[in-house]
Amino acid sequence: MVAVFGKPKRKLSLAIITFNEEKNIQACIDSIKSIADEIVILDSFSTDKTKSISKKNPKVRFFENSFQGHVEQKNLAISYCKHEWVLSLDADERASEELQKSILSFLEKDEVTEDGFQIARLTHHMGRWIYHSGWYPQRRFRLFRKDKAVWVGENPHDFIELKDSSKGGVLQGDILHYSFLDFSHQITTINQFSSIVSYTRYAKGNSFSLIKSILKPIGKFIEIYIMKRGFLDGIPGLYIALASSFSTFLKYAKVYELEKKFIEKPSNMRKDYGEKK
């Protein structure tokens, strides 16, 4: 944890959305609590200890809302933040020590002309940090002025977009991503996320394509393993490429199920997904 010695010239809100994150949430909070002035957690009615663990932290402001989608939930979390500057993290992410120092330096600057800053994300998977396969540096806007940014994208693959002619910069350091416990967890996540993507695409009117369901997975493997040098990540790089190819196939297969009315919604999606309460 980075010690704060100077007096920051601006205040920072940390925004996190959660659902059953009792194993991750405290480590996420600990990685930034010495720098953030408030920590906004928007939970979608967790059934584990996420709420009790979160509320033990004095800087946490805890809210609950039914889950309507990653984009929608993250934008709502931003709206609850009190301060002009917001850092957005997922519960399975941590701020590296270098990133903490970069953020602290930014908070102490006399003048800031940027409206948002991109930060690299480094993922730990299958016993190693993944530096290729399209997983790194994968810079995205994560620190931004509240009124100059919005979460957009196709659920669950969301990203921050700066509004109008806003100016962006880059911060040094990494967001450390502990996304998967193991390969089984990755496959479970792929199955869940492909359901959300297919359901979202079908709702928008996208139709099934046999040719794409065959060619797109092959193209995805070549993209990850060859074009994005996944082979340099060793055996994990090979498995990441294969899993990404499988994920692409699943999205088309599930759109086919929806289009043929075999199902109304993939069975591994939350029953209340997308429903307003």
Side-chain angles (χ1 to χ4, degrees):
M1 185 181 300
V2 175
V4 179
F5 296 108
K7 185 176 181 180
K9 294 177 175 60
R10 53 193 58 83
K11 293 187 175 182
L12 178 69
S13 295
L14 171 63
I16 313 169
I17 65 169
T18 56
F19 178 70
N20 289 347
E21 292 286 358
E22 64 178 10
K23 295 181 179 179
N24 286 315
I25 190 59
Q26 190 60 57
C28 180
I29 292 172
D30 287 344
S31 75
I32 206 71
K33 67 181 182 182
S34 65
I35 300 173
D37 294 278
E38 67 162 357
I39 299 170
V40 170
I41 295 179
L42 178 56
D43 187 72
S44 48
F45 301 101
S46 290
T47 57
D48 65 358
K49 297 179 181 179
T50 298
K51 183 175 183 177
S52 60
I53 292 172
S54 299
K55 296 185 76 171
K56 288 179 181 178
N57 294 272
K59 290 185 178 180
V60 167
R61 298 171 58 231
F62 192 87
F63 302 89
E64 292 176 305
N65 185 71
S66 58
F67 191 78
Q68 297 171 29
H70 291 77
V71 171
E72 295 81 0
Q73 201 81 343
K74 289 183 178 181
N75 279 323
L76 183 58
I78 291 175
S79 72
Y80 291 145
C81 293
K82 292 180 178 179
H83 303 304
E84 177 187 15
W85 285 92
V86 177
L87 173 69
S88 182
L89 293 179
D90 290 337
D92 60 1
E93 296 175 336
R94 324 277 183 259
S96 70
E97 187 168 327
E98 183 182 7
L99 177 57
Q100 292 177 51
K101 291 178 180 177
S102 294
I103 295 174
L104 183 58
S105 177
F106 150 77
L107 293 174
E108 294 176 345
K109 286 181 67 174
D110 290 325
E111 183 179 355
V112 176
T113 58
E114 297 88 349
D115 292 319
F117 293 90
Q118 292 184 332
I119 303 172
R121 186 170 74 168
L122 180 61
T123 299
H124 191 271
H125 186 39
M126 298 185 75
R128 66 188 292 172
W129 294 106
I130 305 299
Y131 285 96
H132 306 92
S133 303
W135 282 20
Y136 186 80
Q138 208 177 50
R139 290 187 178 89
R140 297 289 186 272
F141 287 106
R142 288 299 196 92
L143 178 64
F144 47 85
R145 294 185 197 268
K146 177 180 175 179
D147 63 345
K148 294 292 185 178
V150 62
W151 281 99
V152 297
E154 180 184 58
N155 284 324
H157 304 297
D158 47 52
F159 59 94
I160 278 288
E161 184 175 84
L162 296 186
K163 299 177 181 178
D164 307 320
S165 58
S166 300
K167 181 181 177 182
V170 176
L171 284 185
Q172 297 302 307
D174 298 319
I175 292 174
L176 304 178
H177 190 207
Y178 294 90
S179 182
F180 310 115
L181 298 174
D182 52 24
F183 192 67
S184 293
H185 186 201
Q186 183 184 8
I187 295 302
T188 298
T189 301
I190 284 172
N191 193 25
Q192 292 173 336
F193 279 17
S194 63
S195 291
I196 296 172
V197 170
S198 61
Y199 183 73
T200 302
R201 289 180 180 178
Y202 178 69
K204 291 179 178 179
N206 287 21
S207 58
F208 171 75
S209 169
L210 177 60
I211 296 299
K212 288 183 179 179
S213 72
I214 296 171
L215 296 181
K216 287 285 188 177
I218 297 173
K220 179 58 69 173
F221 177 84
I222 294 173
E223 174 193 346
I224 299 299
Y225 196 64
I226 304 299
M227 304 301 291
K228 295 184 176 178
R229 301 188 297 170
F231 59 88
L232 294 177
D233 289 314
I235 294 298
L238 173 63
Y239 291 160
I240 288 169
L242 289 169
S244 297
S245 175
F246 180 55
S247 174
T248 301
F249 159 74
L250 286 179
K251 294 167 188 175
Y252 285 98
K254 292 175 182 180
V255 167
Y256 174 79
E257 286 187 305
L258 291 164
E259 190 174 273
K260 296 300 181 181
K261 308 298 182 184
F262 297 150
I263 57 173
E264 292 184 0
K265 183 182 292 187
S267 61
N268 63 343
M269 289 181 65
R270 291 174 59 175
K271 292 181 179 180
D272 63 346
Y273 185 90
E275 297 178 4
K276 296 182 179 181
K277 293 183 181 180

